Structures are given as structure tokens and as C-alpha cells.
């Protein structure tokens, strides 16, 4: 298995930022963990995606499609850090002039 | 004996017979909380005034519902309406859910009193509560040791008699390991048996909610209330729920019992192995057929789990971006920086570690080698359990390789992950598993045994647990604290 760890790229994907001093420590920890989970290499598995789902031998029904009352706008935005009227405020999504 | 020392079913009996009032019961538990909570730190949020008010209201009612007047603690990753739900994370420090989890609704509809929210490892990621962003919880049996995790607050609250029962969640052992460390009964039900609507998601294909109690009967009482189909949870299963209390009382005679054997037991503490073997002998003496079972893939379960769980976590935790709920950094230049800074300051080290690990396992070029391989291994583990359950009804294993460890003893993440070696398989296979106390070590630390069953065989698990409980009489032991 490939084991190269590009921490900056992964942080970029995960929307995280790490100070330089934490990076070395975390890289070595993650490398250790990845080497440890590489134990699965011992298993010569032919990967068949159809066999990877957990099957519990019983029915999982769909609920009936009936409209019900949901949260009021006030309740829905009550936990946001910034809001105006019935909207949550975020910085501009498309930046420009 | 003081009321707060009694198990849930005894208190329930007294309340139903009107021999005590809910107000008296709640007052005794509050008294205990005031005495010991400073040392134990089991709770993140308590609402004692509301608990007394609720008790008074319940005392006025003519009809006594199943849990009328019984205080219950809820792990702080289970949503409670208008009651702060933090997941022990800075990112949700001030989050107040606008709704109740289905399990909470079910408890409330039986007139239980939600007295407080208990501490956990941040987002349920950990085995000691040391990963809580707020404070660690202490083990009532030895204050220098961890209560286990991630449901460590729930376990410590019950073990120190601050509440008669609590709910926890279990993704890789988070109910069973703290139950073992604190001398309690802890059940992870079959995947889909208990609704997870309102449980803050960690790894959705593994998470289950379950009870932590002092006795098997108490566990059955709570399961009777929380189990069952919920249209609000798309993974909830429509399966007839038996009366678990009746199941618990059934005759044992025909059960075939398997026990885990092989290399995997070599690293287990000798005192735990001693009590484990003693319990197996007791079961044999009781006339049950007992046979050893060898699992080829058990050895691979931890590696498999520590790919699947972080992968799902990295996806589930993408929702914390400072927009709809939770913490948001005050200063940022643009949207991307707001997300990044919010998440960087909001999450603790273990959560970041797992998000990055999961991002790695799912990222282009690595997905086939890691996530997919783990998913395939998981299927093999599941198949191996299917085969085993054709030979036996229940499988016994230790719960943990060692008793409760000391704070700061496991700074290396892998050494912490190893404490889940016996518990992760049940989550990977989706089967129910229970932790039952079977004795104490020489240092007075509780030891548990794990009873695993096939899908929806909680009834059989509770039957055997009840039988072992009668013989072991673990209730004779109490943490020194009390």
C-alpha cells in the first residue's frame, strides 16, 4: 500500500489548519496509525463492492411520505452565530469587486 | 439503605406502590450529586431545579407510568430540547437543540426525569473521557483512574449512585467498556433496534444508543422503553420488540454458549482471564453446553474499525462549519477561512486526528486500498459471526484487555485504540453485545464479561446475563466513594 502522507493536502480537503509545530507530531502519529491499519494487507482480499454492505436480515421500511410541521424559521436559526431577519449570515460566497 | 443506592427496578417498585414520592427520590439523588459530583465530574450540564419541579408534577398524577419519577442521565451527544447538548466539544459548547432525540421523547413519555447531560470523549471519540474538551470524569472505584469512554460520564454517574440509570452511545465499545470499568451492565443493542434520531452522528454505520444500569433487570426495563421502529430514523428496523423483562426470566437450559479462544486472549490481564474462566465454569456447572470458538478475522477488526469509523466521522463532521449552529470564529477574511479557522479552533486533537485519517482513507488514490478493503474485511467479520451463530446462541469474551487504567497512561493514540479489541466486532457486525460485571481485581477494580448474540437476540443475552448476575452477586460490591 502507498503510505505517503501529504498532511497539507489532507488539511485542505478537511478544512483544517495546523500550526507547524503540530504538523510533525501529527504526521508521525498518523503514519504510525496507517502502518498499524496496514495489517489488512495480510488479507488477500478481492474487493467486491457488493459484499461490503452490512445485511441485517429484516425489513427497513420507508416512512410514509406525509408532510408534517417542521421547525419555525426562528427555531431553525436560533443556533446560528449571525443572522438577520429569517436568514443566517455568512461572508460573501462569490468574491469579486 | 439510602434510596439512591437502590437499583432502578427497586425504586420503580417503591414509586409504583406509592411507598415513596418522586420528590423524595429525586431529593436523595440530588443530595448525592451535591456530595460527590465535585470529585467525579460526571455531568456537563445539570438541571436540578427542573428535576424537583417535574417530580412534584409527577407526584400529583394518578396514573404511574413505567419510569414515573426516576431520574435518568443522558450522554451529552443525545439531543435534548432546550437543554444544552455539547458532545464535549468547543464547537458545540453553546448548542441548544430545538428537538428531543426519539429515545429522550420515549423516556419522557414514561415520566422519567432527565436530570442532566453527561461527559464524554469529544464526539464520542475515545476510551477514557480524557478527550473531553471540558474536563475528564473520574472512576468512582478509584479516582486516579479513568471511568472508560466514551460514555464515561454516564457510567460514572450510575456507579456513584448520582442516578439509577443512564443512556450512552456505542460506536466501538463506548457503552460496554465504561460499563466494565465502572462495574455496570451496559448494552449495545442490534444496529437498528433503537432509534438514533437525535444522536449526534459519529460513524453512522456503527453508532447505537443503549442503557447503562446497575442490574440486568434495569437494562431490560429501559430496553422495553427505548427499543422499536422509528420512522424518523431511516436505519431503524421494523422488528417485533419482545418484553425484555419476560425474556430475562426465561429458562436457560437450551442455550448453547461459545467462548472466544485463541492468540487474541494472550495480551489480556491475568486477573481478567481468571474471572472470565471462572464465569465459564459457572455456566458449565449450570448445565449449559459450552464450546470454544476460533475467529480468523477478529485479529483484523481493530484495523478495519480504525479505517471505517474515522472515514465516516470525517464525512459526518464536515457539517461543523460555523454556519447553522455551533461556534464560529469572530474574525475571518472569507468563507473558506471562516470554515477552516472555526474547525481548527473548535475541534480537539483526537477529533482532528480522526478527521484527517478518515479524509486520507477516503481520498483519491487511497480509497481502494483503505476504505474499500476495510469494508470488505467487515463483511468477512460479519460472515464469521453468522457462521458462529449457527453453532452457538451466544458468544462470551472479555470486555477489555485490562481493568480501568490511570489518567495519562495512554498518551499514544494506538495504545488507547487497543482497548477496543473485544468490543469493535459487535459494531462492525451490527450484532447486540452486553457488558456484565463479574468481579473485582485485587485492587478493587471492576471486571466485566461480554455476552454477544445474533441480530435481535437481546432477549437471550439478558437471560444469560441474569443467570450469571444471580451467581456472581456483584451488587455486594460498592465503590468506596459510597
Amino acid at each position: 500500500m502507498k503510505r505517503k502522507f501529504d498532511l497539507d493536502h489532507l488539511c485542505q480537503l478537511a478544512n483544517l489548519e495546523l500550526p507547524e509545530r503540530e504538523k510533525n507530531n501529527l504526521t508521525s502519529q498518523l503514519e504510525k496509525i496507517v502502518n498499524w491499519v496496514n495489517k489488512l494487507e495480510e488479507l488477500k482480499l478481492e474487493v467486491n463492492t457488493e459484499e461490503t454492505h452490512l445485511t441485517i436480515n429484516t425489513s427497513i421500511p420507508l416512512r410514509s411520505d406525509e408532510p408534517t410541521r417542521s421547525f419555525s424559521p426562528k427555531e431553525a436559526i436560533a443556533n446560528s452565530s449571525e443572522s438577520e431577519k429569517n436568514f443566517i449570515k455568512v461572508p460573501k460566497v462569490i468574491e469579486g469587486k | 439503605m439510602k434510596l439512591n443506592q437502590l437499583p432502578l427496578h427497586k425504586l420503580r417498585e417503591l414509586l409504583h406502590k406509592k411507598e415513596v414520592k418522586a420528590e423524595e427520590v429525586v431529593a436523595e439523588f440530588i443530595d448525592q450529586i451535591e456530595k460527590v459530583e465535585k470529585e467525579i465530574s460526571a455531568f456537563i450540564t445539570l438541571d436540578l431545579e427542573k428535576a424537583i419541579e417535574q417530580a412534584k408534577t409527577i407526584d400529583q398524577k394518578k396514573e404511574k407510568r413505567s419510569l414515573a419519577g426516576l431520574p435518568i442521565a443522558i450522554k451529552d451527544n443525545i439531543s435534548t430540547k432546550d437543554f444544552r447538548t455539547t458532545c464535549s466539544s468547543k464547537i458545540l459548547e453553546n448548542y441548544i437543540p430545538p428537538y428531543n432525540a426519539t429515545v429522550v421523547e420515549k423516556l419522557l413519555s414514561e415520566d422519567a426525569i432527565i436530570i442532566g447531560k453527561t461527559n464524554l470523549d469529544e464526539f464520542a471519540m475515545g476510551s477514557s473521557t480524557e478527550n473531553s474538551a471540558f474536563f475528564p470524569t473520574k472512576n468512582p472505584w478509584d479516582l486516579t483512574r479513568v471511568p472508560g469512554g466514551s460514555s464515561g460520564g454516564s457510567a460514572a454517574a450510575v456507579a456513584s449512585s448520582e442516578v439509577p440509570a443512564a443512556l450512552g452511545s456505542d460506536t466501538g465499545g463506548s457503552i460496554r467498556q465504561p460499563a466494565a470499568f465502572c462495574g455496570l451492565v451496559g448494552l449495545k443493542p442490534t444496529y437498528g433496534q433503537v432509534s438514533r434520531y437525535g444522536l449526534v452522528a459519529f460513524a453512522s454505520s456503527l453508532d447505537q444508543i443503549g442503557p447503562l444500569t446497575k442490574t440486568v433487570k434495569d437494562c431490560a426495563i429501559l430496553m422495553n422503553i427505548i427499543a422499536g421502529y422509528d420512522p424518523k430514523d431511516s436505519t431503524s428496523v421494523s422488528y417485533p420488540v419482545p418484553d425484555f423483562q419476560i425474556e430475562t426470566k426465561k429458562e436457560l437450559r437450551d442455550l448453547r454458549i461459545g467462548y472466544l479462544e485463541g492468540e487474541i486472549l494472550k495480551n489480556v490481564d491475568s486477573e481478567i482471564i481468571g474471572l472470565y474462566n471462572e464465569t465459564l465454569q459457572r455456566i458449565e456447572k449450570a448445565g449449559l453446553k459450552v464450546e470454544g470458538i476460533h475467529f480468523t478475522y477478529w485479529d483484523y477488526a481493530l484495523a478495519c474499525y480504525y479505517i471505517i469509523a474515522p472515514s465516516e466521522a470525517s464525512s459526518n463532521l464536515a457539517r461543523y462549519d460555523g454556519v447553522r449552529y455551533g461556534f464560529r470564529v469572530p474574525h475571518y477574511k472569507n468563507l473558506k477561512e471562516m470554515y477552516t479557522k472555526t474547525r481548527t479552533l473548535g475541534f480537539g486533537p483526537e477529533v482532528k486526528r480522526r478527521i484527517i485519517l478518515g479524509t486520507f482513507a477516503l481520498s483519491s488514490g487511497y480509497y481502494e486500498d483503505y476504505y474499500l478493503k476495510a469494508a470488505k474485511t467487515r463483511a468477512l467479520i460479519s460472515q464469521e459471526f453468522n457462521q458462529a451463530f449457527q453453532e452457538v446462541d451466544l458468544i462470551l469474551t472479555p470486555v477489555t484487555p485490562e481493568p480501568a487504567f490511570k489518567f495519562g497512561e495512554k498518551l499514544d493514540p494506538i495504545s488507547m485504540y487497543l482497548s477496543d479489541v473485544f468490543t469493535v466486532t459487535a459494531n462492525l457486525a451490527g450484532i447486540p453485545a452486553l457488558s456484565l460485571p463479574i468481579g473485582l481485581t485485587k485492587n478493587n477494580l471492576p471486571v466485566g464479561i461480554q455476552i454477544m448474540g445474533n441480530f435481535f437476540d437481546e432477549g437471550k443475552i439478558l437471560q444469560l446475563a441474569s443467570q450469571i448476575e444471580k451467581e456472581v452477586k456483584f451488587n455486594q460490591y460498592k465503590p468506596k466513594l459510597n
Side-chain angles (χ1 to χ4, degrees), chain A residues 18-40:
Chain A
L18 295 171
E20 285 302 319
R21 60 189 151 76
E22 269 183 40
K23 276 187 191 166
N24 285 337
N25 188 22
L26 192 65
T27 307
S28 82
Q29 278 177 345
L30 289 169
E31 276 170 359
K32 265 194 220 161
I33 297 171
V34 169
N35 278 332
W36 176 66
V37 300
N38 277 338
K39 184 175 172 59
L40 296 189

Side-chain angles (χ1 to χ4, degrees), chain B residues 4-170:
Chain B
N4 72 301
Q5 302 286 335
L6 295 173
L8 183 98
H9 68 269
K10 290 256 171 69
L11 281 169
R12 185 171 172 258
E13 227 176 85
L14 293 175
L15 282 159
H16 281 207
K17 287 187 191 154
K18 295 184 184 167
E19 286 177 24
V20 290
K21 283 184 173 175
E23 201 185 336
E24 292 168 60
V25 171
V26 169
E28 284 226 17
F29 281 101
I30 290 178
D31 193 40
Q32 177 74 350
I33 289 169
E34 281 167 352
K35 258 189 226 153
V36 305
E37 179 56 15
K38 256 190 204 161
E39 278 189 289
I40 301 290
S41 308
F43 288 93
I44 292 176
T45 314
L46 277 161
D47 196 344
L48 304 180
E49 276 173 34
K50 198 172 145 205
I52 295 171
E53 257 174 58
Q54 264 181 288
K56 283 182 184 166
T57 314
I58 289 162
D59 280 330
Q60 302 301 316
K61 290 189 185 177
K62 276 190 187 150
E63 178 210 5
K64 290 277 172 259
R65 300 212 172 140
S66 179
L67 299 176
L70 292 162
I72 309 265
I74 309 285
K75 187 177 181 180
D76 210 20
N77 61 348
I78 299 174
S79 301
T80 39
K81 189 175 168 27
D82 302 329
F83 207 130
R84 198 163 71 115
T85 298
T86 69
C87 286
S88 284
S89 179
K90 286 210 166 124
I91 215 156
L92 285 179
E93 192 166 3
N94 299 309
Y95 172 63
I96 297 171
Y99 69 104
N100 277 324
T102 296
V103 288
V104 172
E105 278 297 327
K106 286 186 166 187
L107 293 178
L108 289 174
S109 71
E110 293 299 335
D111 276 342
I113 294 170
I114 309 298
I115 201 162
K117 302 296 295 287
T118 55
N119 196 24
L120 61 147
D121 289 287
E122 186 176 0
F123 283 105
M125 296 179 192
S127 312
S128 70
T129 71
E130 289 168 292
N131 294 336
S132 165
F134 307 127
F135 45 78
T137 296
K138 291 178 186 151
N139 190 321
W141 293 84
D142 179 345
L143 298 177
T144 66
R145 290 173 192 271
V146 305
S150 64
S151 312
S154 286
V158 180
S160 60
S161 299
E162 293 180 302
V163 281
L167 291 188
S169 69
D170 191 314

Side-chain angles (χ1 to χ4, degrees), chain A residues 1-19 22 25-64 68-72 74-83 88-95, chain B residues 81 94-99 190-191 197 205 229 231-232 234-239 297 299-300 302-304 306-307 322-328 332-336 338-341 343-344 347 352-353 355-357 359-360 363 365-366 368-370 372-380 382-383 411-414 417-418 427-430 455-456:
Chain A
M1 277 187 213
K2 305 156 217 168
R3 281 159 211 192
K4 203 170 164 346
F5 231 90
D6 184 350
L7 195 56
D8 289 330
H9 173 62
L10 294 171
C11 282
Q12 176 79 11
L13 290 174
N15 282 325
L16 290 168
E17 198 174 62
L18 295 171
E22 269 183 40
N25 188 22
L26 192 65
T27 307
S28 82
Q29 278 177 345
L30 289 169
E31 276 170 359
K32 265 194 220 161
I33 297 171
V34 169
N35 278 332
W36 176 66
V37 300
N38 277 338
K39 184 175 172 59
L40 296 189
E41 276 185 82
E42 293 170 14
L43 294 171
K44 298 283 172 257
L45 299 166
E46 276 180 33
V47 176
N48 176 356
T49 45
E50 281 165 24
E51 283 178 37
T52 59
H53 298 285
L54 189 62
T55 42
I56 293 176
N57 192 18
T58 187
S59 71
I60 299 181
L62 293 172
R63 65 172 165 77
S64 51
T68 51
R69 258 191 65 82
S70 189
F71 302 123
S72 67
K74 201 180 153 198
E75 284 170 315
I77 62 166
N79 275 290
S80 66
S81 10
E82 225 186 322
S83 60
I88 293 169
K89 273 179 89 174
V90 291
K92 259 188 192 170
V93 176
I94 301 166
E95 288 180 72
Chain B
K81 189 175 168 27
N94 299 309
Y95 172 63
I96 297 171
Y99 69 104
T190 306
Y191 186 76
Y197 178 71
S205 77
Y229 173 66
K232 287 177 177 166
S234 64
T235 60
S236 169
V237 167
S238 175
Y239 192 85
Y297 298 110
D299 258 354
Y300 299 89
L302 271 181
C304 171
Y306 276 96
I307 293 171
V323 177
R324 288 156 299 161
Y325 34 70
F327 165 77
R328 183 195 285 193
Y332 41 83
K333 284 195 236 104
N334 53 40
L335 192 66
K336 172 84 176 165
M338 185 190 91
Y339 291 161
T340 304
K341 288 200 160 163
R343 290 166 61 79
T344 300
F347 291 135
K352 285 185 206 162
R353 207 156 31 230
I355 289 175
I356 293 174
L357 187 62
T359 307
F360 169 75
S363 63
Y366 298 98
E368 288 79 6
D369 279 346
Y370 288 93
L372 218 50
K373 206 158 203 183
K376 176 84 177 178
T377 308
R378 179 182 191 172
L380 291 175
S382 181
Q383 283 164 17
L411 293 176
D412 169 49
I414 295 177
Y417 299 168
L418 289 173
N427 302 78
L428 290 169
F455 300 128
F456 304 104

Side-chain angles (χ1 to χ4, degrees), chain B residues 219-236:
Chain B
C219 180
I221 290 172
L222 285 185
M223 277 303 288
N224 275 349
I225 290 155
I226 63 172
Y229 173 66
D230 176 15
K232 287 177 177 166
D233 174 0
S234 64
T235 60
S236 169

